[in-house]
Amino acid sequence: MSNLKATKIARLQKLIAKGKWHFVIVYGVLGWGISTALLVTLIQTYISSSSFIDQISTALVIYPVSGLAFGFVLWMMANNQYNKLVSGSNEL
């Protein structure tokens, strides 16, 4: 097994060991949802005449909830990649 492959397996094992909900909350809701909400709100506030507070209140509901779905998709992708690496498949 190559060193790069062993490193990827170890990294994925650490992520998977923390559990699905930890992964979904950290990478989906916090990592993608909150950061996207802030970025989109800043852009919308700059482009439109609406206030930051009005925009952020809506964005902090929509994007973190969408982040749940995004996190689950990332979780499935991480598990699939881990399973392929462990089984020795070269389809990466």
Side-chain angles (χ1 to χ4, degrees):
M1 179 180 338
S2 72
N3 192 22
L4 180 61
K5 185 175 178 181
T7 303
K8 282 185 178 183
I9 289 173
R11 184 180 59 84
L12 288 169
Q13 280 176 333
K14 286 169 102 175
L15 284 174
I16 291 169
K18 291 181 182 178
K20 181 186 341 184
W21 285 107
H22 179 268
F23 184 91
V24 169
I25 297 298
V26 170
Y27 292 97
V29 176
L30 298 176
W32 184 84
I34 300 295
S35 61
T36 303
L38 291 172
L39 181 64
V40 168
T41 301
L42 288 172
I43 292 169
Q44 286 179 338
T45 302
Y46 180 74
I47 292 172
S48 69
S49 61
S50 60
S51 73
F52 180 80
I53 300 299
D54 292 339
Q55 295 288 333
I56 195 73
S57 61
T58 303
L60 284 175
V61 173
I62 293 170
Y63 291 101
V65 170
S66 300
L68 284 171
F70 184 72
F72 279 118
V73 169
L74 287 179
W75 172 258
M76 289 187 302
M77 290 172 60
N79 276 299
N80 287 339
Q81 185 179 23
Y82 174 75
N83 291 334
K84 285 180 183 178
L85 285 169
V86 170
S87 70
S89 176
N90 292 325
E91 297 178 26
L92 297 175

